[in-house]
Amino acid sequence: MPVIKARNIAWCRLRAPDLDVMEQFLTDFGLVRAERTETALYMRGTGPRPFIHVTEQGPAGFIGFAYEAESAADLEKVAQLPGASGIEDLEVPGGGRRVVLREPNGYQIEVVHGMGQVAPIAPEPLMRRSFDPSMRKGAARVVRLAHGVFATPDPRATLDWFHETLGFIKTDELWVGDKFVGGFYRVDAGEDPVDHHVIFCNRNERAGMHHVSFEVQDVNDVFFGHNHLKMAGRDYEHIRGISRHALGSQIFDYWMSPYDQMHEHWSSNERFNSDSAANDIQIAEGLQHEGGEKPSERFVKQSTP
């Protein structure tokens, strides 16, 4: 039995030496500033979470992910784990409390509870309307943070930790012959439908964040967002897309922040519950599956330490 069953991912926590540069990228990516201090930048989407992305001032890198506990009692349970912090008050937009853990690769995992919510932002239309002759364009309308992906030399140990600690369950595991190369795990919300995965771990020589992924308002935003980032005049690096994942059915597009941190836009209608099948999937080397687009070496080997 897992220690708890986490409800969902809450935010990612990164570092960047220049918060102005990072805020400009994230704004062009489709996030909205929630709060900024001298040492940290908090960005939100159009959904009710007070923030979904944190950038701390410092050397460029990856700090960790936060996940939401179901109850205060669950927070007390994880606080009893070896190496866990005590329960701490959060001085962030929305408040709440947290316990800090370390997953097998040494990255910070915040388990949080009791945060307030904010009014959703009504999304501005992007497409031209029949009564308005002007062309509409702009950044993708990011709604929420959907999943975080780890690169790790030992994906099995990492996924086992998330299963045993936070209750994530298998959706698809990837194999090349008899070699385990990664796995997609989802939240266990019983009969309630959830995303294909809340975490993916793929085998990599170097541990770190592979990417962080955000759902946009609809599939049109993937295309509008792509064009906006391409035409922003700031030389953002495009990594992969626009295309479709065979597992999860996401229409996706990947971009690199100015500090080598990969961010994904996606839109999908595919949902699962605890009764959905768990699968072992044979793929080719380099994460190629079902004859689709072969990911570039840059994509496959990406890892932000």
Side-chain angles (χ1 to χ4, degrees):
M1 287 289 293
V3 178
I4 67 169
K5 291 184 179 181
R7 292 175 61 184
N8 218 325
I9 192 167
W11 61 78
C12 62
R13 194 178 289 272
L14 310 180
R15 276 193 310 269
D18 190 325
L19 295 184
D20 288 336
V21 171
M22 195 64 172
E23 182 171 359
Q24 183 63 68
F25 167 73
L26 293 172
T27 300
D28 287 334
F29 187 77
L31 296 170
V32 177
R33 185 205 279 199
E35 185 176 306
R36 180 165 165 179
T37 69
E38 291 185 359
T39 58
L41 169 67
Y42 299 87
M43 303 290 285
R44 62 168 292 187
T46 63
R49 289 192 179 274
F51 66 95
I52 56 177
H53 192 295
V54 187
T55 306
E56 296 184 4
Q57 181 99 42
F62 167 57
I63 298 173
F65 296 118
Y67 301 91
E68 186 179 0
E70 180 73 33
S71 65
D74 280 353
L75 209 59
E76 293 174 359
K77 289 177 184 178
V78 294
Q80 303 305 312
L81 292 172
S85 73
I87 299 176
E88 306 168 344
D89 291 333
L90 279 164
E91 296 183 3
V92 299
R97 308 179 82 193
R98 75 171 183 179
V99 172
V100 178
L101 308 173
R102 296 283 170 180
E103 54 79 49
N105 302 286
Y107 291 102
Q108 176 176 289
I109 300 300
E110 299 169 84
V111 183
V112 303
H113 179 69
M115 299 186 70
Q117 295 197 331
V118 294
I121 298 172
E124 289 289 328
L126 290 178
M127 291 184 289
R128 190 180 71 170
R129 297 174 293 190
S130 60
F131 53 84
D132 183 352
S134 64
M135 180 68 71
R136 296 203 179 279
K137 57 185 178 180
R141 300 163 300 176
V142 169
V143 177
R144 65 184 178 103
L145 173 61
H147 62 261
V149 175
F150 283 92
T152 171
D154 193 345
R156 175 61 70 203
T158 305
L159 288 167
D160 284 350
W161 186 90
F162 277 96
H163 170 67
E164 294 162 6
T165 307
L166 300 183
F168 298 156
I169 57 176
K170 171 182 170 181
T171 303
D172 293 309
E173 290 188 351
L174 307 183
W175 298 78
V176 177
D178 60 359
K179 181 175 71 173
F180 176 65
V181 295
F184 296 95
Y185 277 51
R186 65 185 185 272
V187 169
D188 182 358
E191 295 180 357
D192 294 337
V194 300
D195 293 339
H196 174 265
H197 60 286
V198 71
I199 186 172
F200 174 54
C201 292
N202 74 293
R203 187 177 296 277
N204 195 300
E205 294 179 1
R206 183 178 68 167
M209 182 186 82
H210 184 269
H211 72 269
V212 61
S213 179
F214 299 85
E215 184 181 18
V216 295
Q217 193 74 30
D218 60 41
V219 69
N220 296 293
D221 288 82
V222 179
F223 291 87
F224 276 103
H226 178 95
N227 290 338
H228 183 75
L229 287 161
K230 185 176 180 180
M231 303 303 292
R234 283 178 271 275
D235 297 322
Y236 297 134
E237 183 182 5
H238 181 242
I239 301 298
R240 186 183 181 196
I242 297 171
S243 190
R244 176 184 173 274
H245 287 305
L247 303 177
S249 298
Q250 296 95 345
I251 307 298
F252 66 79
D253 196 32
Y254 292 87
W255 291 83
M256 198 70 73
S257 83
Y259 300 110
D260 200 40
Q261 300 143 329
M262 192 153 63
H263 290 59
E264 178 191 17
H265 287 145
W266 68 264
S267 179
S268 173
N269 293 321
E270 192 164 298
R271 305 282 275 173
F272 298 76
N273 63 25
S274 60
D275 293 328
S276 300
N279 303 290
D280 293 317
I281 308 292
Q282 283 289 331
I283 65 169
E285 292 284 357
L287 297 180
Q288 186 172 11
H289 176 55
E290 290 187 353
E293 172 197 19
K294 183 177 182 180
S296 67
E297 185 175 10
R298 174 84 161 101
F299 178 88
V300 172
K301 293 187 174 181
Q302 168 62 23
S303 178
T304 301

